Amino acid sequence: MKNINYVINGVLAVAILILFILQFSEKKGSLLPATTTASSGEAVTGFPVAYFNADSLLLNYNFSKDLNEQLVRKQENARANITQQARNLQSEVDNFQYKLRNGAFATQERAEQEQQRILKKQQDLQALEEKLTQELMEESRRLNAQLSDTVRRHLRQFNKDRNYQIIFGNVEGTPIYQAEDVYNITSELIDYLNRSWSGTPVE
């Protein structure tokens, strides 16, 4: 159970890491100060760079939330499965111990056979937990790759008429300690991504 819990707790951390995107526009040009368009619509003269807060994107991008909910449901189903089987096994263990104390087994051999059966069920339950944990890890990797690919693809489209040379994904602990708000495209990007996800035409 503890292993399964570790998987879901690491999902957001993994997703944030894969969204640390260094995106170069297809048009290679000068890195001298250039005029770009801020999210407010105003023309801004400065270096053609921008950044977004990856944690905010993960929390507010509807596709990211949907993927996270999928993984949470799978984890809950796996946990419920393991918990139910563990309860059934514990009931069998209690019943075995009760019979053993009260001499309910006809022979010692019969008692040993029942003990071996229960031990086998314990091993099978451990194997099932490991299997479900592995499946959750694989599903997490698959969903993270899907999310990363989607963001990268839409980010290229998003940048076509904005012409940023570099777009940073800012997460806690990264070197972007200070940046002017004009370079922050988080809200604009999240709005663009959500409109794309909902099928709403985007500019």
Side-chain angles (χ1 to χ4, degrees), residues 3-197:
N3 290 335
I4 292 177
N5 289 333
Y6 287 151
V7 174
I8 195 66
N9 290 337
V11 170
L12 287 179
V14 173
I16 287 173
L17 287 176
I18 65 170
L19 286 174
F20 185 63
I21 299 171
L22 182 62
Q23 174 68 39
F24 291 92
S25 67
E26 295 181 0
K27 297 180 179 179
K28 296 183 181 295
S30 172
L31 292 182
L32 294 175
T35 300
T36 58
T37 303
S39 57
S40 63
E42 299 177 358
V44 178
T45 299
F47 288 103
V49 299
Y51 74 94
F52 64 90
N53 293 318
D55 51 352
S56 295
L57 186 145
L58 288 172
L59 290 173
N60 295 285
Y61 181 20
N62 291 333
F63 182 50
S64 173
K65 291 190 285 186
D66 287 349
L67 293 182
N68 187 58
E69 287 174 4
Q70 286 181 37
L71 197 60
V72 168
R73 282 196 298 270
K74 288 180 182 294
Q75 188 225 11
E76 290 175 345
N77 290 337
R79 180 188 294 140
N81 187 0
I82 293 294
T83 299
Q84 184 58 51
Q85 294 199 41
R87 286 174 179 168
N88 293 342
L89 179 59
Q90 185 60 51
S91 178
E92 292 187 38
V93 170
D94 293 342
N95 187 48
F96 169 76
Q97 292 175 341
Y98 175 81
K99 288 181 177 180
L100 197 61
R101 285 194 305 268
N102 290 278
F105 293 104
T107 64
Q108 179 67 23
E109 181 182 4
R110 179 68 188 90
E112 289 176 355
Q113 288 176 348
E114 181 64 8
Q115 183 181 39
Q116 289 303 313
R117 186 187 69 81
I118 291 175
L119 287 174
K120 177 65 166 57
K121 290 194 72 170
Q122 287 177 326
Q123 292 170 356
D124 289 345
L125 184 58
Q126 279 187 329
L128 177 61
E129 181 179 0
E130 292 174 2
K131 177 176 178 290
L132 292 176
T133 299
Q134 183 63 32
E135 288 177 355
L136 282 171
M137 291 176 65
E138 291 174 357
E139 181 69 0
S140 174
R141 284 193 290 267
R142 186 185 71 81
L143 295 180
N144 283 331
Q146 185 178 356
L147 176 61
S148 178
D149 179 69
T150 300
V151 172
R152 288 176 189 272
R153 179 162 39 85
H154 284 299
L155 194 55
R156 292 189 194 99
Q157 191 68 28
F158 171 86
N159 193 42
K160 273 190 174 180
D161 60 350
R162 292 168 177 81
N163 299 318
Y164 294 116
Q165 291 294 318
I166 301 175
I167 298 178
F168 293 100
N170 187 37
V171 295
E172 185 177 355
T174 59
I176 303 179
Y177 296 115
Q178 174 63 36
E180 296 299 326
D181 289 342
V182 69
Y183 295 109
N184 187 347
I185 61 171
T186 305
S187 296
E188 185 184 4
L189 179 58
I190 290 172
D191 181 63
Y192 181 92
L193 290 171
N194 284 334
R195 284 185 290 140
S196 299
W197 173 238

